[in-house]
């Protein structure tokens, strides 16, 4: 029994949230999928356009976002998405509501992450409640 507990204790720190990645095809599928429950269900998707050369400035708190789907897109592997969403700097974070880009945060010339957790969560809440009846 002790060995089992010890084994569990050693593996628990290794368990973490896995980052979901999207390429051109998966991103199209994510943004264009229709909700099976009709129009009353709002789908909020946050996409971070990411670059390997600037991974130090990636959005660090993606696993703390609430009530959204969060994906990263490597701009080096998703040229179509980069062009379609006019991504010039990485990171660029875009909030989509039912497949439509509603809010975006783009890095400046310093290439630093343009938003923190509180600002992003607040923007998500605003997008959720916009046009709500």
């Amino acid at each position: 029994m002790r060995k089992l507990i010890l084994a569990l204790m050693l593996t628990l720190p290794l368990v973490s949230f896995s980052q979901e990645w999207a390429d051109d095809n998966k991103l199209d599928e994510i943004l264009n999928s229709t909700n099976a429950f009709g129009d009353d269900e709002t789908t909020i998707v946050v996409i971070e356009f990411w670059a390997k050369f600037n991974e130090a400035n990636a959005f660090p708190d993606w696993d703390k976002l609430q009530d959204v789907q969060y994906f990263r897109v490597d701009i080096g592997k998703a040229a179509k998405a980069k062009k379609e969403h006019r991504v010039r700097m990485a990171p660029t974070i875009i909030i989509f509501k039912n497949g439509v880009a509603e809010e975006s945060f783009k890095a400046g010339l310093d290439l630093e992450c343009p938003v923190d957790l509180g600002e992003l969560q607040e923007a998500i809440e605003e997008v959720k409640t916009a046009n709500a009846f």
Side-chain angles (χ1 to χ4, degrees), residues 14-79:
L14 300 176
V15 175
S16 65
F17 294 96
S18 64
Q19 177 62 60
E20 292 231 30
W21 291 89
D23 58 13
D24 282 332
N25 294 329
K26 186 173 181 181
L27 186 59
D28 282 343
E29 181 182 314
I30 292 164
L31 296 178
N32 295 320
S33 66
T34 56
N35 196 336
F37 299 107
D39 291 337
D40 14 330
E41 292 290 322
T42 301
T43 303
I44 304 291
V45 177
V46 178
I47 305 293
E48 177 184 359
F49 290 90
W50 177 93
K52 177 72 175 162
F53 71 85
N54 195 25
E55 66 185 319
N57 287 319
F59 182 72
D61 297 319
W62 58 269
D63 58 336
K64 296 177 185 165
L65 291 174
Q66 299 174 359
D67 302 323
V68 297
Q69 296 176 353
Y70 186 88
F71 297 90
R72 277 194 175 145
V73 174
D74 184 344
I75 61 173
K77 297 179 182 175

Side-chain angles (χ1 to χ4, degrees), residues 71-114:
F71 297 90
R72 277 194 175 145
V73 174
D74 184 344
I75 61 173
K77 297 179 182 175
K80 178 183 165 196
K82 179 182 170 189
K83 182 177 179 180
E84 183 177 328
H85 298 288
R86 297 185 175 132
V87 175
R88 303 287 183 255
M89 299 287 192
T92 291
I93 298 172
I94 303 176
I95 302 170
F96 293 86
K97 180 178 180 179
N98 295 329
V100 177
E102 296 287 339
E103 182 76 50
S104 64
F105 301 91
K106 298 179 181 190
L109 294 176
D110 59 5
L111 297 178
E112 290 185 9
C113 186

